Amino acid sequence: MRVTVIGSGYVGLVASVCFSELGHDVISIDNDAHKIALLSAGEVPIYEKYLPELLEKHLGKRLKFSTDIVEAVRASSVVFIAVGTPATPEGDSDLSYVEAVARALASAINDYKVVVEKSTVPVFTSEWIRKIMLLNGVSHELFDVASNPEFLREGTAVRDFLFPDRIVLGADTKRSGAMLQEIYAPLSSGKFYQSNSLVPTPAEAKIPPLVITTSTKSAELIKHASNAFLAMKISFINAVANVCEAVGADINEVCEGIGTDSRIGRRFLNPGIGYGGSCFPKDLRSFQAVAKDAGYEFRLLQEIIAVNEQQLTRFMRKLRTALWTLRGKRLAVLGLAFKGGTDDIRESPALCLVQSLIKEGCQVRAYDPAAMARTQEYLVSPNLEFAASPYAAAEGADGLLILTDWEEFTHLDLPRLRKLMAYPIVLDGRNLYDPQLMAQNGFTYYSVGRAFAMPPQTTAVQTQSLA
Ligand code: UDX
């Protein structure tokens, strides 16, 4: 099929490249001429596995980039809208980019098109797109508006697209529903999985994926509700971790105990310093605003957000317990991205903590495998420097903080780290290590929802002095 994707940001770019991989002819549109020039030259502006390889494979063949929306729309039968929907200061979604696209579509449409929302948008957006297009003179039989939310996680977005748990197709007419089905037919028929894709099949992949057809409004709600539910799991387990700390229980054991109930599930029950990123924080506030507009006060969402914010305060309190005063302390920070596997620092809890540390007068030396360049652009302070490795960050440090769950941080050379640090104190905001192992390696170790651990000799010294 001939497909246009408007918006070459995170969602739009991954969708464009993956639609090409499914065999469609794709034009990816953006009004940022510089970005389009970069992409046309084969350069990928974001850090995402398999994206460079797939771009190279399809660029100039099934995939092209352009700033000309009119030409692209006229050449396509399906148009995906994947432009940004940033949060307003009040927390609801700013849909002005979506509205601008709807107007541009109205001026371009010459024959029947399906216009599909791919960005995360509040319920009723499809109706607004429809109204704007009608108001701008497009005849109602020339288009339908549908919703096809994405559930991509940064870092594994290409894999999530090609091997989804489910595909949600929200359409209110048979014609638009059939065209959406056709787009995803390579996945839903299983045909794609017999081809030789350069993206390896994940062990847990559901092949072929489930296709769920719904009304457009339900599809819009599915996206908001999915993200809110996942955020709720994280805040729930963080709240339980806080209780574990208070009563001396172990959150890992509790997670195992509850996560193995198939009704609950183990995934998204990892405690830590809270969720961040471009989706959860924004989508929760937007969902809250949607519910409020509809006359329902969704208090549970408020509580999810509050627990998430408290995790940062609690971590700072833990840091004070470990180091006493903070002014002038030299701290090594491992991780700046909002999670491992990405260079994205949007709403990153790690970055929030770094900002608090700087405010407290700490000297921070940070390392992140991918997010240092972005952080350098965003945060400049004489109290913040960057290191070339976790070990360079740890040199002479009074304490080391693990703030992002990068795989690289799960197997650090502990004896080397111990030797480099001035004081062997580790605060792990992602529970990457076994407390006993850390203690055996000479560290005083604090994590989330578990008792802190100390090296055996320190315990002996403490016991002696107590005696
Ligand atoms: C999320 C959704 O998962 C995805 O379906 C949607 O399309 C976009 O938003 P993403 O923002 O890429 O994806 O990150 P995700 O992997 O979901 O993690 C979100 C945040 O939650 C991260 O800060 C992560 O560290 C945190 N998290 C996740 C936890 O603290 N504990 C967990 O158990 C899981």
Side-chain angles (χ1 to χ4, degrees):
M1 289 183 89
R2 287 171 169 268
V3 174
T4 285
V5 180
I6 301 175
S8 308
Y10 206 90
V11 173
L13 182 57
V14 172
S16 297
V17 168
C18 290
F19 282 140
S20 307
E21 180 71 355
L22 297 189
H24 302 303
D25 287 324
V26 182
I27 307 174
S28 177
I29 296 287
D30 206 287
N31 55 12
D32 179 344
H34 175 65
K35 189 195 272 181
I36 289 298
L38 273 183
L39 287 162
S40 301
E43 279 180 52
V44 184
I46 53 172
Y47 179 91
E48 192 61 51
K49 227 173 165 189
Y50 305 117
L51 205 53
E53 294 88 334
L54 289 185
L55 181 65
E56 195 190 329
K57 182 174 165 193
H58 297 298
L59 187 61
K61 294 166 201 145
R62 283 187 207 142
L63 175 62
K64 68 175 199 182
F65 293 92
S66 166
T67 51
D68 190 341
I69 191 166
V70 175
E71 192 190 44
V73 169
R74 294 202 170 144
S76 308
S77 47
V78 183
V79 180
F80 285 88
I81 303 180
V83 294
T85 53
T88 67
E90 290 73 42
D92 46 11
S93 298
D94 174 358
L95 296 172
S96 54
Y97 298 115
V98 177
E99 183 175 344
V101 169
R103 272 205 225 101
L105 289 178
S107 69
I109 282 184
N110 53 345
D111 56 10
Y112 180 78
K113 319 277 174 203
V114 186
V115 176
V116 193
E117 305 162 338
K118 197 104 180 103
S119 317
T120 304
V121 289
V123 68
F124 289 126
T125 304
S126 60
E127 283 191 6
W128 273 110
I129 295 174
R130 192 179 157 71
K131 273 187 214 160
I132 297 291
M133 291 178 63
L134 291 172
L135 274 173
N136 282 279
V138 189
S139 168
H140 67 90
E141 72 273 8
L142 278 190
F143 74 98
D144 278 309
V145 183
S147 167
N148 167 222
E150 54 76 27
F151 304 99
L152 315 177
R153 286 161 303 170
E154 293 190 16
T156 55
V158 169
R159 227 177 48 189
D160 291 344
F161 190 103
L162 297 172
F163 301 92
D165 283 346
R166 80 301 202 191
I167 297 163
V168 174
L169 305 179
D172 298 325
T173 65
K174 269 198 179 147
R175 191 176 185 188
S176 58
M179 282 170 80
L180 276 183
Q181 293 269 7
E182 203 180 327
I183 293 231
Y184 285 98
L187 298 182
S188 58
S189 67
K191 215 167 150 201
F192 171 75
Y193 304 108
Q194 290 149 17
S195 67
N196 257 346
S197 173
L198 51 84
V199 183
T201 305
E204 71 284 359
K206 286 184 189 156
I207 294 175
L210 189 66
V211 174
I212 298 171
T213 53
T214 68
S215 69
T216 312
K217 271 188 206 157
S218 298
E220 288 169 330
L221 265 185
I222 286 170
K223 173 66 190 179
H224 264 159
S226 296
N227 275 356
F229 194 87
L230 292 170
M232 179 178 73
K233 278 188 98 172
I234 299 169
S235 277
F236 179 82
I237 209 63
N238 280 333
V240 176
N242 298 340
V243 177
C244 284
E245 283 177 14
V247 302
D250 184 315
I251 190 65
N252 276 14
E253 293 173 1
V254 175
C255 277
E256 213 41 45
I258 62 175
T260 39
D261 182 329
S262 59
R263 292 170 301 173
I264 297 173
R266 180 68 185 81
R267 294 172 76 191
F268 274 71
L269 281 185
N270 297 324
I273 50 173
Y275 62 76
S278 64
C279 288
F280 285 176
K282 173 171 81 75
D283 289 355
L284 260 90
R285 276 183 230 119
S286 168
F287 195 21
Q288 214 180 358
V290 166
K292 197 170 179 183
D293 278 353
Y296 179 66
E297 203 71 49
F298 205 151
R299 292 223 178 82
L300 180 58
L301 297 181
Q302 212 166 302
E303 205 45 44
I304 296 168
I305 297 168
V307 170
N308 199 54
E309 286 167 357
Q310 277 161 20
Q311 285 311 100
L312 296 178
T313 328
R314 287 184 65 92
F315 195 79
M316 283 302 287
R317 209 179 304 143
K318 209 172 275 174
L319 187 63
R320 277 198 194 88
T321 311
L323 299 180
W324 191 18
T325 63
L326 296 183
R327 182 158 303 280
K329 289 271 156 75
R330 289 158 305 169
L331 298 179
V333 163
L334 302 191
L336 297 161
F338 81 97
K339 65 171 190 179
T342 175
D343 63 347
D344 199 339
I345 53 167
R346 284 175 290 176
E347 303 267 349
S348 166
L351 207 60
C352 275
L353 284 171
V354 168
Q355 281 169 312
S356 302
L357 298 175
I358 292 173
K359 225 165 148 190
E360 294 278 350
C362 302
Q363 285 295 330
V364 177
R365 199 183 293 154
Y367 169 75
D368 187 289
M372 290 197 289
R374 281 191 197 274
T375 308
Q376 254 156 341
E377 282 167 23
Y378 175 79
L379 187 61
V380 179
S381 161
N383 287 24
L384 173 65
E385 56 178 318
F386 297 91
S389 73
Y391 307 102
E395 221 175 314
D398 298 318
L400 178 136
L401 279 57
I402 304 176
L403 302 183
T404 305
D405 54 348
W406 277 99
E407 219 271 321
E408 176 181 339
F409 300 157
T410 61
H411 45 79
L412 295 169
D413 179 341
L414 297 177
R416 183 175 169 199
L417 207 61
R418 165 77 188 81
K419 258 191 226 142
L420 285 168
M421 292 178 67
Y423 294 95
I425 300 171
V426 172
L427 280 103
D428 182 354
R430 299 290 186 168
N431 283 8
L432 300 188
Y433 283 91
D434 170 29
Q436 292 321 313
L437 177 79
M438 293 303 277
Q440 281 156 20
N441 278 280
F443 292 99
T444 300
Y445 176 77
Y446 297 80
S447 54
V448 181
R450 303 182 293 179
F452 81 99
M454 273 195 294
Q457 60 273 33
T458 323
T459 325
V461 171
Q462 278 219 334
T463 322
Q464 268 170 23
S465 60
L466 280 176

